[in-house]
């Protein structure tokens, strides 16, 4: 089943039987003595899928940015309800459409774009202060030695010019 649900398999099956008999979510929850919100979520799924509401999908599906944006824009414009869009596009529940719409309203289109998985790449770190000072000292010494070397080459060239 759905590992995050608070309902057991037996409670789900009993709730679906009650839905079929015409009971609403609150009535079914009262008879089963369980959370009304969990039964309401199951009922929404049952209205969308019928008995298939009890079947867990084998893998987590991912949707393209364009697909999500199209569904959300239709929902926000009032062209269809979340339940209608979920049924039309074979989504797991109307709540998924509502979540995408909430993200879209809060953060715009970028919220619907695929996110990079895993840990974000590390920023290159500057060397500690001791290393920075040592690096600067070595650069200064290198510059002094280069100048000294150039001076000695010039001096040697002048001596040979005076002999020749």
């Amino acid at each position: 089943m759905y590992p995050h649900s608070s309902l057991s398999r037996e409670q789900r099956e009993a709730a679906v039987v009650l839905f079929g008999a015409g009971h609403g979510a609150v009535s079914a929850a009262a008879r089963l003595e369980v959370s009304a919100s969990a039964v309401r979520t199951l009922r929404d799924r049952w209205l969308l899928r019928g008995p298939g509401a009890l079947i867990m999908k084998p893998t987590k599906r991912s949707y393209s940015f364009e697909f999500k944006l199209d569904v959300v824009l239709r929902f926000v414009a009032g062209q269809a309800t979340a339940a209608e869009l979920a049924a039309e596009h074979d989504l797991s529940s109307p709540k998924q459409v509502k979540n995408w719409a909430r993200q879209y309203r809060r953060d715009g289109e970028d919220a619907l774009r695929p996110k990079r998985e895993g840990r974000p790449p590390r920023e290159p770190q500057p060397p500690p202060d001791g290393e920075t000072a040592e690096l600067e000292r070595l650069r200064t010494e290198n510059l002094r030695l280069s100048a000294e070397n150039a001076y000695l080459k010039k001096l040697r060239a002048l001596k040979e010019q005076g002999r020749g």
Side-chain angles (χ1 to χ4, degrees):
M1 277 310 73
Y2 294 86
H4 59 277
S5 175
S6 61
L7 301 176
S8 69
R9 180 182 191 94
E10 295 79 22
Q11 290 170 329
R12 289 173 163 277
E13 290 171 354
V16 167
V17 169
L18 290 171
F19 298 152
H23 290 274
V26 175
S27 172
R31 284 179 173 244
L32 297 172
E33 298 179 354
V34 294
S35 163
S37 64
V39 175
R40 192 174 301 114
T41 301
L42 178 62
R43 183 173 178 275
D44 289 345
R45 201 173 292 124
W46 178 77
L47 289 172
L48 190 63
R49 302 219 178 309
L54 296 176
I55 299 171
M56 184 172 160
K57 292 194 175 192
T59 59
K60 182 178 177 183
R61 291 173 52 186
S62 62
Y63 303 95
S64 70
F65 165 73
E66 292 79 14
F67 174 81
K68 290 181 192 178
L69 185 61
D70 177 54
V71 170
V72 167
L73 291 176
R74 287 181 57 200
F75 177 70
V76 170
Q79 295 175 358
T81 66
E84 291 168 349
L85 289 167
E88 178 183 333
H89 296 292
D90 192 32
L91 300 175
S92 60
S93 77
K95 190 161 185 113
Q96 191 167 28
V97 175
K98 292 177 184 176
N99 286 340
W100 290 343
R102 183 174 15 85
Q103 291 170 349
Y104 173 78
R105 287 181 184 124
R106 186 183 62 222
D107 298 325
E109 288 183 5
D110 287 340
L112 302 177
R113 293 194 187 279
K115 309 295 185 283
R116 184 176 187 278
E117 291 188 21
R119 186 178 289 184
R122 287 180 29 177
E123 294 289 326
Q125 303 225 344
D129 288 338
E131 288 183 31
T132 304
E134 177 69 10
L135 188 59
E136 189 59 36
R137 185 189 67 75
L138 289 172
R139 284 184 179 148
T140 304
E141 183 179 356
N142 189 17
L143 188 60
R144 183 186 60 78
L145 290 172
S146 294
E148 186 177 318
N149 193 21
Y151 173 77
L152 291 172
K153 282 183 182 178
K154 185 71 171 174
L155 185 61
R156 183 180 298 139
L158 287 173
K159 278 186 180 180
E160 286 185 15
Q161 190 179 26
R163 287 187 196 167

